[in-house]
Every structure is written in C-alpha cells, then in structure tokens.
Amino acid sequence: MFTGLIQKIGTVKRVSRGAGLVLEVAADTPWLAPLEEGESVAVNGVCLTVVKCEGSRFTADVLRETESRTGLGELVPGMKVNLERALKAGDAMGGHIVQGHVDARGRIKAKTPKGRDFQLQVECGRVLAAQSVLKGSIAIDGVSLTISAIGDDWIGVDVIPTTLRDTTLGFRKTGDAVNLEGDILGKYVAKQCASAGLTEEKLAAAGFV
C-alpha cells in the first residue's frame, strides 16, 4: 500500500523484452535507506516488486496483465518516472490509500495556469468519473491529488508548484497518457450500491442526495 506522496523521481535505465517486460530504474537521488529485494516500489503508480537492487538502482519484472493495463510498456531508457516505496506500519498517512493497481489509462486534455498553480483536466472514462467525488482523491501516475472538477468522462485536479517540481507531472503536457487509480473507498461504495440496486435517482427520491 502507498500514499501517493512521491518520494523520488527516477530515470529508466534499461527496458528489456524477453519472456516478459523487465525494467531497470534508478532514483535520481539516493534513498535514505537502501532498497531490499522483495520490497514493493510504485513506479508511476504501479506496484512492482524489486527483484534485484544495487544502490539507488533496482530491477523489476512486469506482468503481461500489468503491461496491458498501464503505461509501463511505453517506457524507454531516459524517461522520468515517479517512485514511492511501500507504506510501513506507523508511517504518516499524508496522501490517501493507494494500492498501486491502475484502474485506467487517462489522457491530459488541458493544463491550465491558475495563478501560481495549474489545473489538469484528465480524460478518465465514464466508470472512473462516476466513482469520483468533488474533494475526493485520485492518483495520477502515482501522485495523490484532490479532485476539483468532474465531468461525464473527465476529472480536474489543481496542482501546486511543489508537486509539479517534485513529480513527473511537471513534464506532462496536453495529450500525454497517464496511469489513473481511483479511490478504493469509492469503488467499494459503488459496488455495494450496484449490488443493492441503488441509483442516484432512488437516493434522491429518498432524500439522501
């Protein structure tokens, strides 16, 4: 489990395709504690297992299922990625619960300045948009962000300069594809409502919304 608070920007060093996709990534600055084989690291919001590590560099195997659902297969040497090590018991929970399981590939449809900040509008599909709520959370390439606008098939988030500087969102531009993970709590609520036959119309008629 992760928080969506990016700890390092990393650089893809090697991409190999034999029996399956293998990534070699190095953090741009040293980790406070050495990586260990078998631990989990989120790469652009995708939970991967460290199979080999040396210093700030590590290697991870990517499942075919993971490759098909995320943008990891599009990475090439030299590209920058967001890195976050798994949460430990007792660590501060500064972002939100991020599993590292990508729900959808989205696309940035607008990146608009708002004073010192930027608003990103991201196409996310109707299912993920329906599960999202204003002031709720979403992970974009592993970055925990607060939803500030919602459309039928898109969401908007406001991004402060620090986040742009310390994550790869600062490099992103209109038209770029991104990994999206919705809030796990919203997914469970949506599933339970569907199982019970609850709709927004029924809730409104009962005075709940």
Side-chain angles (χ1 to χ4, degrees):
M1 189 174 73
F2 306 90
T3 68
L5 299 186
I6 302 305
Q7 297 165 336
K8 302 283 182 186
I9 290 180
T11 303
V12 178
K13 296 297 185 180
R14 181 173 61 90
V15 179
S16 60
R17 297 178 181 277
L21 178 63
V22 179
L23 297 178
E24 185 176 327
V25 179
D28 289 354
T29 57
W31 297 100
L32 292 177
L35 293 171
E36 298 180 2
E37 292 183 7
E39 75 168 280
S40 296
V41 176
V43 178
N44 277 357
V46 183
C47 180
L48 298 177
T49 299
V50 174
V51 297
K52 183 180 179 181
C53 55
E54 183 178 352
S56 62
R57 186 177 297 215
F58 69 94
T59 301
D61 296 328
V62 180
L63 289 169
R64 293 188 184 277
E65 171 73 6
T66 301
E67 183 179 356
S68 70
R69 290 181 175 270
T70 73
L72 294 187
E74 301 166 11
L75 295 176
V76 297
M79 292 184 71
K80 298 295 185 179
V81 291
N82 294 319
L83 302 176
E84 182 189 355
R85 299 174 76 168
L87 186 68
K88 296 181 179 179
D91 286 351
M93 189 71 183
H96 73 284
I97 297 173
V98 178
Q99 294 182 295
H101 302 159
V102 170
D103 292 310
R105 289 285 279 157
R107 193 168 299 277
I108 297 175
K109 61 184 293 186
K111 186 176 183 180
T112 308
K114 291 182 66 177
R116 60 163 197 177
D117 308 323
F118 278 85
Q119 184 182 73
L120 299 181
Q121 286 189 6
V122 182
E123 296 173 351
C124 63
R126 291 182 177 273
V127 172
L128 196 53
Q131 292 175 352
S132 302
V133 295
L134 286 175
K135 306 305 179 184
S137 297
I138 192 167
I140 300 178
D141 274 351
V143 183
S144 175
L145 295 165
T146 300
I147 296 170
S148 57
I150 302 176
D152 289 339
D153 60 357
W154 61 270
I155 55 95
V157 295
D158 290 340
V159 186
I160 61 174
T162 298
T163 302
L164 291 175
R165 183 191 68 223
D166 293 343
T167 75
T168 61
L169 292 183
F171 310 133
R172 293 299 194 182
K173 59 186 183 300
T174 301
D176 283 354
V178 289
N179 294 324
L180 302 176
E181 181 184 334
D183 191 337
I184 184 63
L185 300 179
K187 298 175 202 174
Y188 278 119
V189 170
K191 183 175 179 61
Q192 292 301 315
C193 286
S195 298
L198 293 177
T199 64
E200 187 173 348
E201 290 75 17
K202 288 182 178 179
L203 291 171
F208 288 102
V209 294

